[in-house]
């Protein structure tokens, strides 16, 4: 197969909202008056982010999910993506499964693939850029958390990291390989949350980004952090703590909101059928304290360094 056959067969769908989609030198997109574009990109490398034998359908899903999660954290509605991909060969079953996983998630959220680049490489590399719209001036960011705000997290944490250690636990493996970007929640948090981030590198590390950008501190109660049910049966307290506080890849939203908005957030959780849990509070000053049930400060492992060897 040539490069162009790969693109035509696996990565071309009729353009819907795009003025020009796949097939020309540039895609063209119409952005409505009063909207801002939110743009993000995330790369998955074979050997670093996934193994050579990774299931291609799940990989297509995850490559898109990690990008849509960033748009969710900004409160943006995802609209378009471009896909740059390096392939070791034109393996048709692999391409069919990969593109099926990617398009299934894309279609669920009305996202259109409008262009990209395809090349042969020594390893598989998948780089997606995602574009979303958000009413001008309303996007969420890591800055804006105020002392006295509550800290909230969606869903549960630690499952994806548990899936790395215990791939035989189906619930945990699913969290790792098929994360669900919290797109509806992100958009509903506009005007409600004072700051937000998606939990890609672990609660402690990602919360530290909010604290740094917002110039505040925080106190989190470890016991309150919602976690995968599988931990209970496992009974490994050290592993549980490491996964829940420092494990990455969960793609839940972590956000701050004024205490006066609790009722609205509880109603939103019911409406979206997505648990929202209050895990702590923003404080004046700096630094993150994570405390156990007795109120003692716990030691924890901080952020993840993607540049580490
Ligand atoms: P150019 O050489 O002008 O950059 P290419 O030959 O690389 O164009 O690509 C041809 C068309 O196919 C372009 O519209 C490009 O955006 C699109 N395309 C290439 N690879 C992909 C891909 N993996 N997914 C979606 N569209 C792609
Ligand atoms: Mg090109």
């Amino acid at each position: 197969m040539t490069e162009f056959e790969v693109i035509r067969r696996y990565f071309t769908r009729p353009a819907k909202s795009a003025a020009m989609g796949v097939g020309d030198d540039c895609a063209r997109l119409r952005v409505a008056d009063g909207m801002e574009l939110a743009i993000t990109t995330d790369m998955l490398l074979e050997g670093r982010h996934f193994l050579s034998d990774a299931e291609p359908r799940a990989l297509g899903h995850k490559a898109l999910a990690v990008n849509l999660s960033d748009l969710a954290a900004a409160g943006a509605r995802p609209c378009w993506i471009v896909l740059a991909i390096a392939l070791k060969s034109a393996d048709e079953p692999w391409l069919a499964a990969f593109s099926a996983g990617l398009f299934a998630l894309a279609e669920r959220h009305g996202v259109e693939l409008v262009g990209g680049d395809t090349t042969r490489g020594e390893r598989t590399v998948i780089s997606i850029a995602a574009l979303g719209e958000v009413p001008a001036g309303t996007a969420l960011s890591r800055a804006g958390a105020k002392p006295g705000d509550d800290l909230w997290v969606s869903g549960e944490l630690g499952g994806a990291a548990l899936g790395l250690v215990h791939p035989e636990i189906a619930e945990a493996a699913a969290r790792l390989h098929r994360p669900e970007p919290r797109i509806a929640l992100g958009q509903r948090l506009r005007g409600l949350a004072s700051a937000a981030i998606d939990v890609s590198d672990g609660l402690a590390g990602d919360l530290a980004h909010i604290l740094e950008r917002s110039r505040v501190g925080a106190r989190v109660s470890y016991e309150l952090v919602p976690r995968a049910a599988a931990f209970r049966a496992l009974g490994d307290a050290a592993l549980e703590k490491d996964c829940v506080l420092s494990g990455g890849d969960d793609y839940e939203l972590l956000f701050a909101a004024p205490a006066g908005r609790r009722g609205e957030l509880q109603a939103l959780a019911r409406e979206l059928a997505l648990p929202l849990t209050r895990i702590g509070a923003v404080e004046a000053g700096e630094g993150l304290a994570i405390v156990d049930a007795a109120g003692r400060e716990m030691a924890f492992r901080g952020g993840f360094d993607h540049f580490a060897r």
Side-chain angles (χ1 to χ4, degrees), residues 32-186:
D33 278 354
M35 299 300 247
E36 282 175 358
L37 268 186
I39 304 179
T40 183
T41 186
D42 252 317
M43 187 157 54
L44 297 185
L45 272 76
E46 177 181 347
R48 188 153 191 93
H49 302 96
F50 62 91
L51 300 172
S52 316
D53 63 356
E55 210 268 295
R57 192 179 166 108
L59 199 56
H61 172 97
K62 183 162 179 174
L64 178 55
V66 300
N67 280 282
L68 298 189
S69 177
D70 282 319
L71 291 181
R77 181 178 72 84
C79 304
W80 307 286
I81 54 169
V82 292
L83 165 68
I85 190 163
L87 299 164
K88 290 179 290 188
S89 67
D91 176 342
E92 292 216 59
W94 191 97
L95 281 162
F98 174 84
S99 66
L102 183 134
F103 280 115
L105 180 61
E107 278 161 16
R108 195 141 59 79
H109 294 289
V111 171
E112 247 182 283
L113 174 61
V114 296
D117 199 23
T118 304
T119 183
R120 193 181 287 270
E122 307 302 310
R123 309 181 185 191
T124 308
V125 180
I126 305 154
S127 173
I128 291 181
L131 297 88
E133 335 182 285
V134 57
T138 70
L140 303 173
S141 78
R142 298 174 180 188
K146 299 276 183 302
D149 282 355
D150 295 324
L151 283 171
W152 296 78
V153 69
S154 66
E156 15 174 85
L157 297 181
L162 180 62
L164 268 182
V165 186
H166 283 288
E168 78 285 1
I169 303 176
E171 171 208 358
R175 288 302 309 238
L176 177 61
H177 298 301
R178 302 192 61 86
E180 196 54 49
R182 301 305 187 190
I183 292 165
L185 174 62

